[in-house]
Amino acid sequence: RAVPLAARSGAPAPPSAPRPPASPEGALLERLRVPATPTTLAAARLRMSATQSLTSAYEHLDAALAKLAPDPRVASARSLLSFVGKFDLRAPAALPEQIAAFVAHIVDAAEGKLAQFARAAVALAQSEVLDAAPTPAPSAPTAATAGHDAAPQAPAALPAAPAPAADAANAAAHVAERAVALEHDVKSALLALVQSPPRDASPAVVQSVRDALVATTAVQLNVLSAQSSDPNAVTIPLPAYFYEGGKPAQLRITRDAPGSKRTLDADNFHIAFVLDTKRLGTVAIDVQTVGRAVSVDVKTQSSGFAQRFRSTLGDLRGRLESLRYRVAAIDANAAPVGQTANVPAAFENTRDAAIDEGGASSWDMRA
């Protein structure tokens, strides 16, 4: 067997060629522990304008799918795209459902639903085991204790009561519902159309599906990147625009209730919005609730804009009190001029936030 000359002479082996530096997209995927594929690399390149790209891609795809022959999969995909691709701010009653659908279909998609499905399956398995477990009979006295006065013993712990059949049925129904949800989100619908395109779909239509898939992945990478910088918060760019060409609204949800270790629920939460409006500029709305005592703080770019918001806060107070919240504080003020470095980190890390990266809206939202 041949032996390398360097090994025979005892000379050290030549150093290996240095590893080429990763591209910015590759470095992002490596940091987020996301496999580098053509789709994820293309999505990483779109991350700076993820939500705008998603809205544009969905509108283009919907127009392309509308020209195809009737197909149940196409009809289902179009209904999802139209509902989560762009919010209609003229219909505020639908906004809660649209935000929930956007989070479920875009931000979580199948990845998040897999965890929900697993938890539901475990709960079902546990309920079935408890339901089938026989009640243990009292143990007979052993030869060592029979006929002898034994020291009093603490009563044995009672076995867990078997789960009623109704509980097992409910758990089974929950598993079935989660299984259906796995197949009915936007990303799953797009993947199905890529893998098995409609019969009359042209290559251009298939490419539109791929573009929508990349844009969906870009939004997910955007959220993951912000969360990696602040694990206690989730920052989501929503497809809600106040004017044509405006930036998407930003939603930031803090997982832990402010000032306590209680988890997020209807009584304890911290939500912030950053809105890019045409007439009032950039607006930040901070809502904190602890034990159903809510504080609302609105920041605008000028005192005149703040006054306009203050004139509407009475209506907001009434709405909150009708929901049985106690309004501890509610006010609107102008934020002092500062630098974009003073923008909260969660928004700073989401580059398609309603704050221009170049500093066009240079004011301090933390003040």
Side-chain angles (χ1 to χ4, degrees):
R1 187 171 57 181
V3 179
L5 179 61
R8 285 183 292 173
S9 63
S16 57
R19 182 181 177 183
S23 65
E25 297 82 13
L28 172 67
L29 296 177
E30 185 176 354
R31 177 169 64 86
L32 298 178
R33 298 181 180 180
V34 174
T37 68
T39 296
T40 57
L41 286 169
R45 285 190 287 271
L46 284 179
R47 190 180 66 85
M48 302 296 186
S49 58
T51 303
Q52 294 98 321
S53 299
L54 179 137
T55 299
S56 176
Y58 281 14
E59 289 177 345
H60 187 269
L61 176 58
D62 182 67
L65 294 177
K67 301 176 182 178
L68 301 182
D71 184 312
R73 296 183 305 151
V74 170
S76 176
R78 290 190 65 199
S79 64
L80 291 173
L81 293 173
S82 63
F83 192 67
V84 302
K86 187 175 183 179
F87 296 175
D88 185 1
L89 297 179
R90 295 169 299 180
L95 284 177
E97 287 76 13
Q98 285 190 292
I99 294 175
F102 184 82
V103 172
H105 287 273
I106 305 300
V107 178
D108 278 349
E111 293 87 344
K113 293 179 182 179
L114 280 173
Q116 299 174 18
F117 177 79
R119 287 194 294 268
V122 169
L124 173 61
Q126 291 175 340
S127 67
E128 289 178 340
V129 168
L130 290 174
D131 192 42
T135 303
S139 56
T142 63
T145 58
H148 298 275
D149 293 330
Q153 300 290 324
L158 294 176
D167 289 348
N170 290 337
H174 186 54
V175 169
E177 184 270 334
R178 288 292 87 200
V180 172
L182 279 172
E183 302 176 359
H184 290 81
D185 60 62
V186 170
K187 195 169 185 180
S188 298
L190 295 175
L191 284 169
L193 292 177
V194 167
Q195 295 168 356
S196 179
R199 286 181 298 175
D200 57 339
S202 65
V205 172
V206 176
Q207 185 58 48
S208 296
V209 178
R210 294 183 184 277
D211 292 343
L213 182 61
V214 169
T216 304
T217 306
V219 173
Q220 295 175 333
L221 291 178
N222 201 338
V223 175
L224 281 175
S225 178
Q227 192 172 6
S228 68
S229 300
D230 186 357
N232 292 323
V234 177
T235 304
I236 303 172
L238 299 173
Y241 309 91
F242 287 85
Y243 62 98
E244 191 67 28
K247 296 180 182 294
Q250 297 291 307
L251 169 65
R252 183 176 187 269
I253 305 171
T254 303
R255 292 187 181 279
D256 299 326
S260 75
K261 297 186 178 299
R262 288 178 289 186
T263 56
L264 191 73
D265 56 30
D267 296 342
N268 307 278
F269 58 82
H270 185 184
I271 299 177
F273 291 91
V274 176
L275 313 177
D276 178 31
T277 70
K278 188 173 185 178
R279 294 187 176 87
L280 301 177
T282 305
V283 179
I285 304 173
D286 188 84
V287 182
Q288 298 188 36
T289 299
V290 179
R292 300 195 72 81
V294 61
S295 300
V296 181
D297 186 20
V298 180
K299 295 296 185 185
T300 67
Q301 291 180 268
S302 74
S303 57
F305 295 161
Q307 178 58 40
R308 293 182 63 179
F309 272 96
R310 276 196 294 270
S311 66
T312 66
L313 293 180
D315 180 64
L316 177 58
R317 176 188 292 271
R319 289 173 180 267
L320 291 170
E321 291 175 345
S322 69
L323 297 173
R324 299 186 179 180
Y325 285 101
R326 180 174 61 84
V327 178
I330 184 169
D331 202 0
N333 295 283
V337 175
Q339 300 297 323
T340 53
N342 290 328
V343 173
F347 293 123
E348 179 74 6
N349 293 328
T350 306
R351 283 310 199 182
D352 64 343
I355 309 299
D356 292 336
E357 185 177 354
S361 299
S362 56
W363 52 292
D364 187 352
M365 290 193 300
R366 297 185 306 176

